[in-house]
Amino acid sequence: MNNQQEEWEQARLFINHEVPFIEASAYSTITAPFVYARIKGIKKQRDGSLYFPRRIIGKCSRLEIAKQLMAPPPEDLVEQLLEEKWITEEEAVLSKSIPMVDDIALEADSGGHTDQGVLSALVPSVLALRKEIQKNHLYPEPILVGCGGGIGTPEAVASAL
């Protein structure tokens, strides 16, 4: 997203209208409104599990973006949101144990901003990265990885599978 004000407006709309699923695409870095949309409303339930008010699907075409999406929210942005009273202390603490997204949709070369990505190279790299991140962060649920672009022929579907 390029327009910070528009992104804040969208994040507030998602939260105020209890939108259960969000697709975050075309990000080159994690932003404060993105973090706000991710962690606002998370809480620990009586059984110890976390409640997420919305599921976020991160769409990307590069490994370094996938890494940001699979990491916990950046601490500096969480602190900023806490200081500005956008989130609670509990939400800030819980944010350290969750990834930025629940799922990742990998985009191959779809003729847009996808850097001519090749699924047969991107998928194994992201799966290996997910395994490493999951091991390091011990997320309660694995991040799902799928394909969401550049699949326009039967051969491309076969390659994605």
Side-chain angles (χ1 to χ4, degrees):
M1 232 201 175
N2 293 327
N3 184 324
Q4 189 91 3
Q5 181 179 345
E6 185 179 311
E7 189 178 359
W8 273 112
E9 289 171 11
Q10 289 177 355
R12 286 190 293 265
L13 281 172
F14 295 149
I15 291 164
N16 292 340
H17 291 280
E18 300 177 357
V19 174
F21 298 96
I22 299 171
E23 180 184 284
S25 62
Y27 278 89
S28 59
T29 189
I30 304 299
T31 63
F34 187 0
V35 173
Y36 175 63
R38 175 58 172 160
I39 66 177
K40 186 64 185 167
I42 64 170
K43 59 186 170 188
K44 192 167 267 200
Q45 301 186 100
R46 288 185 178 177
D47 66 1
S49 65
L50 293 181
Y51 165 76
F52 293 87
R54 67 202 65 75
R55 188 167 190 95
I56 298 184
I57 303 165
K59 204 168 180 186
C60 67
S61 60
R62 297 190 340 243
L63 189 60
E64 66 271 15
I65 304 303
K67 186 175 184 176
Q68 290 182 49
L69 295 174
M70 289 192 272
E75 288 183 28
D76 61 328
L77 296 179
V78 172
E79 283 301 316
Q80 174 190 337
L81 293 170
L82 185 59
E83 287 173 13
E84 295 174 4
K85 306 222 184 298
W86 285 96
I87 60 171
T88 66
E89 183 72 39
E90 178 186 20
E91 291 164 340
V93 169
L94 294 175
S95 75
K96 295 176 184 181
S97 63
I98 63 166
M100 274 302 301
V101 299
D102 299 284
D103 312 306
I104 289 189
L106 298 172
E107 296 179 281
D109 186 18
S110 60
H113 63 280
T114 56
D115 305 317
Q116 299 177 332
V118 178
L119 282 179
S120 60
L122 188 58
V123 170
S125 299
V126 172
L127 290 175
L129 177 64
R130 177 189 66 180
K131 184 177 182 179
E132 177 186 331
I133 288 175
Q134 181 71 34
K135 180 180 162 189
N136 292 339
H137 293 287
L138 303 172
Y139 294 139
E141 292 184 22
I143 299 166
L144 302 179
V145 176
C147 302
I151 306 176
T153 65
E155 293 80 8
V157 171
S159 176
L161 296 174

